Amino acid sequence: LVLFLGGSTACGLAPSMVTLIGFRVVQGIGAGCVTPVTQTIISDLYPPAARARIQGYLSSIWTVAAVGGPLLGAALVTHLSWRWIFWVNLPIGFAAFILLNVALRGESQRHGHKIDYIGALLVATGIGTLMFALNQATALGTPLFIGLLSLALVLLVTLYFHERVVPEPVLPLQVWTHPIVLAGAVASFTVGAINIATAAFLPPYIQGVMGRDPIIAGYVVAAPLIIWAFG
């Protein structure tokens, strides 16, 4: 939360696009840490039979945020400043910080573990290289693009063989043999790809090509997510 709130604050104060991207990295690291810890806390606090219900609550909150977020963002950009898109996180984050310190009580149980640093590094560099190559494909040129794809493939293959022999892998391969987990991962990847692609494409198209206001772009992005809530 400290990383996320610090990154959000700095993003709102960014004087240039380069510094904004850098502070977004800090914000993203914080958000990336918060997400799995949230799932871990649920597993610690609730028995298996109750976890599905709690996940349903979280999904409903995500749905409200997904529908309200684009509209709120468009309103902030139209009536205040783009900087408030980042600063609006601060009161919510501080409230979460206070709630965690006041309400979360648990006994720490220490166990001897070996952290898979090499696996974590291979995951980050392999997937990071692949994402960079795909995102910058048109600007890189064919030789460099193919080279980065090859490097990503080598890193991910190395990850596969490393995770098979390490005592406590960061990415346990046997999990992916479970049909429900595998089907859920494929479905989540597909839905995520569609949502991210449309969310990234529609606002620039509506504002840049169609010449409409940001608030209209917010309406368009929010409309499909209302259907998502029923799903």
Side-chain angles (χ1 to χ4, degrees):
L1 276 173
V2 170
L3 280 173
F4 178 73
L5 295 177
S8 298
T9 304
C11 283
L13 298 172
S16 67
M17 179 60 72
V18 174
T19 54
L20 175 61
I21 293 173
F23 293 141
R24 282 282 283 172
V25 171
V26 177
Q27 185 193 38
I29 292 173
C33 293
V34 166
T35 303
V37 171
T38 303
Q39 305 297 327
T40 304
I41 291 175
I42 291 174
S43 298
D44 287 341
L45 295 180
Y46 298 95
R51 291 174 192 168
R53 176 169 50 86
I54 303 303
Q55 291 288 2
Y57 293 155
L58 286 182
S59 297
S60 65
I61 295 171
W62 166 248
T63 302
V64 172
V67 174
L71 299 178
L72 177 60
L76 292 174
V77 170
T78 302
H79 301 292
L80 292 175
S81 168
W82 62 266
R83 301 180 187 275
W84 281 97
I85 291 179
F86 300 102
W87 290 338
V88 75
N89 295 324
L90 301 184
I92 301 173
F94 282 126
F97 196 88
I98 293 172
L99 283 172
L100 285 171
N101 281 278
V102 171
L104 184 62
R105 290 288 181 267
E107 297 181 0
S108 298
Q109 298 181 0
R110 294 190 175 275
H111 303 278
H113 293 288
K114 292 184 178 180
I115 299 177
D116 183 15
Y117 291 108
I118 295 178
L121 180 63
L122 288 171
V123 168
T125 54
I127 296 178
T129 302
L130 176 62
M131 291 179 62
F132 178 78
L134 295 176
N135 279 316
Q136 302 295 325
T138 56
L140 292 174
T142 302
L144 183 56
F145 174 69
I146 294 177
L148 288 174
L149 286 183
S150 302
L151 176 60
L153 179 62
V154 170
L155 291 170
L156 293 176
V157 170
T158 304
L159 170 68
Y160 171 77
F161 287 104
H162 172 78
E163 298 297 87
R164 293 182 62 181
V165 298
V166 71
E168 295 188 66
V170 70
L171 190 66
L173 298 177
Q174 67 271 18
V175 172
W176 300 99
T177 61
H178 195 293
I180 295 179
V181 174
L182 182 59
V186 172
S188 179
F189 173 83
T190 306
V191 172
I194 294 171
N195 286 335
I196 291 174
T198 53
F201 172 78
L202 284 177
Y205 179 81
I206 292 169
Q207 294 177 244
V209 178
M210 299 178 66
R212 306 303 294 271
D213 294 331
I215 194 69
I216 302 300
Y219 288 143
V220 173
V221 172
L225 301 177
I226 296 174
I227 308 301
W228 185 7
F230 290 98

